[in-house]
Amino acid sequence: MKIGFIGLGNMGAPMAANLAAAGHAVTGFDLAAPMPEGVTKAGSASAAATGQEVVITMLPNGAILKSVARDVIPAMQAGAVLLDCSTVEVDAARDVAARCAQAGLGFLDAPVSGGVGGAAAGTLTFMVGGDATAFETEKPLFDVMGQKAVHCGPAGNGQAAKICNNMILGATMIVTCEAFALADKLGLDRQAMFDVVSTSSGQSWSMNTYCPAPGIGPKSPADNDYTPGFAAELMLKDLRLAQAAAEAADADTPMSRAAMALYEQFVEQEGGAGKDFSAMLPRFEQRPRGG
Ligand code: NAD
């Protein structure tokens, strides 16, 4: 396929490189990042979008997505699809979807799970909102960049799935870290704690797959001095998006609101920026009750 790719940062670069390696004609644009191997450089976002069957965006936030969409929508050919893989507000995705529909273009919001490692290995999971026909058309691209793509319903539902997943992840990681720190103080060995919880009703991805305690369970960022992985500030971004969506939808979300407040404190006041989101464990280790 003829593909325009805008936003070639940590995630976008390996995704675009995988598409090019699979034989697609990829033209890229980024304000700062270099072009990955196999990707032809365009001079602007609109130039990268001109004449393409699909334009993929992988950008930092919803405000930037909306501004890039304003540039590229008029340049895109009728019937083409704008496929946004960034993590943004549900409302931003729905806004861009409406503008694409007015212009005779398809739109899919397709945020990802799997991080930089998954992007490089082509094993991302895509959560996709938007038209079912467009989903089928772009399926071969999801198959190159990822291992799974789930169609979640109309535009915005991919973002809804992403924030619901990540609010569960954020709250679960915090309570897993709390429990390890409590276990230490109660004299419960960490390996014993892992062996019990990972096979009992407290099990979760945070415990079983991404254990925050160094030397316990499968290899995780805890074994690499909490180098991300999934950075605490990215978790904070997603928890903020979840709270914004909950506010707009009048949904009561006390656990994820508390998780957001904790990651905010960790990232903005306690030196958590640049550390993996599982570095909540050393944070709890150092604190007294209510500290
Ligand atoms: P990044 O900051 O590495 O990359 C974003 C790129 O967009 C940068 O290269 C930047 O120069 C470019 N850019 C910014 N404004 C632009 C514009 N107007 N025109 C063209 N290019 C522009 O970020 P990332 O880690 O690649 O994340 C991208 C998106 O993926 C984010 O929405 C993030 O939340 C999401 N995400 C990231 C991860 C992760 O582990 N990094 C995991 C899942 C989802």
Side-chain angles (χ1 to χ4, degrees):
M1 284 174 88
K2 289 174 67 186
I3 302 170
F5 206 117
I6 300 165
L8 297 153
N10 292 324
M11 295 292 290
M15 291 163 72
N18 284 338
L19 290 170
H24 296 287
V26 188
T27 304
F29 176 71
D30 192 289
L31 284 182
M35 289 301 114
E37 198 175 324
V39 176
T40 309
K41 185 179 166 74
S44 67
S46 59
T50 303
Q52 312 293 359
E53 294 161 83
V54 54
V55 175
I56 303 178
T57 46
M58 193 51 166
L59 295 161
N61 60 49
I64 294 175
L65 168 67
K66 284 191 197 175
S67 123
V68 168
R70 265 191 294 276
D71 287 346
V72 300
I73 287 173
M76 287 173 68
Q77 65 185 21
V81 173
L82 179 57
L83 169 54
D84 178 48
C85 298
S86 328
T87 304
V88 302
E89 298 81 358
V90 174
D91 287 350
R94 292 186 175 152
D95 178 89
V96 175
R99 283 196 272 149
C100 284
Q102 271 169 11
L105 303 171
F107 175 82
L108 294 172
D109 54 300
V112 303
S113 167
V116 177
T123 56
L124 295 169
T125 296
F126 289 87
M127 305 146 224
V128 190
D131 183 59
T133 318
F135 176 72
E136 286 309 319
T137 314
E138 307 313 327
K139 187 96 183 28
L141 304 186
F142 294 133
D143 290 342
V144 171
M145 296 185 286
Q147 62 182 353
K148 193 169 174 64
V150 181
H151 188 226
C152 301
N157 281 23
Q159 299 296 348
K162 168 85 185 173
I163 55 176
C164 287
N165 181 74
N166 278 21
M167 67 192 244
I168 295 171
L169 175 61
T172 313
M173 178 55 81
I174 289 172
V175 78
T176 303
C177 293
E178 276 179 12
F180 267 117
L182 172 61
D184 289 347
K185 291 189 176 174
L186 297 177
L188 171 60
D189 176 69
R190 285 184 170 185
Q191 186 64 53
M193 157 104 164
F194 176 83
D195 291 346
V196 170
V197 175
S198 65
T199 53
S200 299
S201 46
Q203 66 181 270
S204 68
W205 186 86
S206 296
M207 176 60 86
N208 292 39
T209 309
Y210 204 90
C211 182
I216 310 283
K219 276 257 171 293
S220 71
D223 300 307
N224 191 22
D225 203 22
Y226 297 99
T227 303
F230 186 49
E233 58 269 32
L234 286 176
M235 175 50 82
L236 175 58
K237 172 190 170 178
D238 292 356
L239 290 169
R240 282 177 167 153
L241 290 174
Q243 285 310 296
E247 185 75 41
D250 192 26
D252 191 22
T253 52
M255 293 298 293
S256 52
R257 189 174 58 223
M260 183 196 75
L262 269 170
Y263 275 107
E264 204 163 70
Q265 193 176 328
F266 184 52
V267 167
E268 293 178 355
Q269 295 163 35
E270 298 170 352
K275 295 198 178 132
D276 190 74
F277 82 118
S278 62
M280 275 284 167
L281 175 53
R283 174 193 185 274
F284 282 119
E285 280 168 14
Q286 291 154 16
R287 298 169 72 88
R289 181 165 178 76

